[in-house]
Amino acid sequence: MAPHRKSRPPSSLGIRTPALATAALTSVALLSQTADASPAAEPRPSTEEVQKKIDDLYQQAGTATEKYNAAKEKTTKQRKRVATLLDDVAQRTEKLNSAREALGTFAAAQYRTGASAPDSASLLLADNPQDYFDQTQLMNRLTARQKQAVDEYVTQRATTSKKRQEASEGLETLTTTQNTLKTSKADVQRKLAEARELLSKLTAEEKARLAAIERKKQEEAQRKADELARQQAADAERRRQEAATQGTGAGTGTGTGTGSTAGSDSASSTKAAKALAFARAQIGKPYVWGASGPGSYDCSGLTQAAWKAAGVTLPRTTWDQVDTGTTVSVDNAQPGDLVFFYDDISHVGIYIGDGMMIHAPKPGAYVREESIYYMPIHSVVRPG
């Protein structure tokens, strides 16, 4: 009879039950999938989000453009000032040299005649020559012509030193402004490059959607412009009726938002008409940042050139133009008024009536007529 063998418990290295095996295989599979999986891609922005980003970039580029315009204008003025100062320094130095030579001539003459001569070397090298001559015994030995030569030398030396300091400070200021100019230029280029890159990544369907959003925006802006035109026309008609009732003569409002009466300043109206005529003649010319004509314009370059054609000098930037003239309400805007946009006042157009303006919009666009409601309005200014 075979000896009885005692059964052993299952070895930990033996075959597991089907349930445990299945769980293990599932865990291995999940770990493998986790290890092989690539990072989840970021969700693609919606067309609306892309549109907003592009609009923001163009606005930021507009702000940087005005900074560039300000720095460019300042740089031009400072270059002229520094050039004038350097010319003045050269002239003063020449006069100083002449005064120094005159002193040397007097000293040499005294030496030849055996007279007691001042120490001309000490005089010419002294930080303050006048202190040298304040010694009574020395001044008593000087003739009237010598004293005049000393006074001339001291004056020229002090003036030349002052002018040199002014020129040095002017050069430092010019360098700072030129750096600002370069920084602003780089900022404009960077913002425009970002906008172009966003546009380049759009699919044909997204571009079509973007165009639809733009049309809707234009339609809403035009609706508001039409509403303003009706309101202004109604106001003009009311003024005519009031004038007729009072027997003072009717106003000349045209329903284009002029808000004008027979007592309006005809000279101002004439200038505004000239500015508008110039602006209309620029329609179709390209927007180029930093440009002020005649072949291309940015926004403030166009308004400056338009009013210059009417004999009125406006500053170069929107930030300065907004302070030139009288601020009026949008409802009382007249043709020729300047309409400023955004909280940072980085864009401007010239009002033509009926809620419309002529402006240089943005890179890639052309000077055109557009509703003033296309962008958020900051204020309206009538150039004085």
Side-chain angles (χ1 to χ4, degrees):
M1 182 177 178
H4 177 73
R5 295 181 179 177
K6 192 175 180 180
S7 61
R8 299 178 180 177
S11 169
S12 60
L13 299 176
I15 298 176
R16 297 174 180 172
T17 62
L20 291 174
T22 302
L25 290 172
T26 301
S27 297
V28 171
L30 289 174
L31 289 172
S32 177
Q33 291 176 4
T34 301
D36 295 339
S38 59
E42 293 183 4
R44 189 177 181 84
S46 66
T47 308
E48 288 78 5
E49 290 172 334
V50 172
Q51 175 71 65
K52 185 179 184 308
K53 179 65 175 176
I54 291 173
D55 288 345
D56 288 345
L57 286 170
Y58 278 135
Q59 183 189 345
Q60 292 169 24
T63 302
T65 296
E66 291 306 305
K67 290 180 180 179
Y68 172 86
N69 291 337
K72 184 177 180 180
E73 184 177 45
K74 191 174 181 180
T75 298
T76 301
K77 292 179 179 178
Q78 287 174 343
R79 279 201 186 105
K80 292 179 180 178
R81 180 173 180 272
V82 168
T84 300
L85 285 171
L86 291 176
D87 287 343
D88 197 7
V89 167
Q91 293 174 7
R92 297 286 178 182
T93 300
E94 185 176 350
K95 291 181 179 180
L96 178 62
N97 291 336
S98 297
R100 183 183 288 112
E101 290 174 2
L103 286 178
T105 299
F106 282 122
Q110 283 185 321
Y111 179 78
R112 287 194 301 270
T113 60
S116 177
D119 185 353
S120 59
S122 297
L123 169 65
L124 298 179
L125 295 175
D127 289 335
N128 189 348
Q130 187 62 56
D131 290 344
Y132 185 90
F133 282 98
D134 280 344
Q135 303 173 52
T136 304
Q137 64 275 23
L138 184 59
M139 292 299 291
N140 289 337
R141 292 198 298 268
L142 297 178
T143 67
R145 289 184 63 190
Q146 286 175 316
K147 289 178 181 179
Q148 183 179 359
V150 169
D151 289 340
E152 175 67 15
Y153 174 76
V154 171
T155 300
Q156 291 299 334
R157 180 163 179 165
T159 304
T160 302
S161 178
K162 180 180 178 181
K163 292 298 181 180
R164 283 174 178 168
Q165 180 63 30
E166 289 179 6
S168 177
E169 292 173 355
L171 285 170
E172 290 179 3
T173 302
L174 177 59
T175 299
T176 300
T177 307
Q178 286 176 326
N179 290 336
T180 301
L181 186 66
K182 293 178 182 177
T183 300
S184 300
K185 181 177 181 179
D187 196 18
V188 175
Q189 293 172 331
R190 183 170 58 255
K191 298 301 181 185
L192 296 181
E194 289 181 35
R196 287 193 295 268
E197 183 179 3
L198 279 175
L199 288 170
S200 68
K201 292 180 179 180
L202 294 178
T203 64
E205 183 179 351
E206 288 172 330
K207 289 179 180 179
R209 172 63 178 162
L210 210 62
I213 293 174
E214 176 65 15
R215 284 194 300 272
K216 184 177 180 181
K217 181 180 178 181
Q218 291 278 6
E219 289 170 359
E220 177 61 17
Q222 187 60 52
R223 183 190 66 76
K224 291 182 179 180
D226 293 342
E227 182 179 335
L228 177 62
R230 287 192 294 271
Q231 176 185 338
Q232 291 177 327
D235 290 343
E237 178 61 25
R238 176 178 54 78
R239 287 192 294 271
R240 282 194 292 268
Q241 292 179 357
E242 290 176 352
T245 300
Q246 295 171 2
T248 58
T252 58
T254 62
T256 61
T258 63
S260 60
T261 63
S264 296
D265 188 342
S266 59
S268 296
S269 298
T270 299
K271 290 179 179 179
K274 289 181 179 178
L276 280 175
F278 180 92
R280 284 195 177 95
Q282 312 314 307
I283 290 177
K285 293 184 178 180
Y287 174 103
V288 174
W289 66 271
S292 55
S296 58
Y297 298 89
D298 63 17
C299 64
S300 57
L302 176 63
T303 52
Q304 183 189 48
W307 273 98
K308 182 179 180 180
V312 177
T313 300
L314 294 181
R316 178 63 179 89
T317 70
T318 55
W319 302 317
D320 290 329
Q321 289 181 10
V322 75
D323 293 327
T324 304
T326 304
T327 301
V328 298
S329 67
V330 175
D331 293 345
N332 291 320
Q334 296 180 7
D337 289 350
L338 303 178
V339 188
F340 296 91
F341 301 90
Y342 301 113
D343 291 339
D344 64 353
I345 321 177
S346 57
H347 192 75
V348 63
I350 184 167
Y351 191 66
I352 60 176
D354 290 334
M356 302 293 287
M357 67 176 170
I358 297 173
H359 72 141
K362 59 186 178 181
Y366 298 84
V367 176
R368 67 192 183 198
E369 292 186 12
E370 198 153 48
S371 166
I372 61 174
Y373 293 102
Y374 180 73
M375 295 167 285
I377 298 172
H378 176 274
S379 57
V380 179
V381 172
R382 185 162 302 149

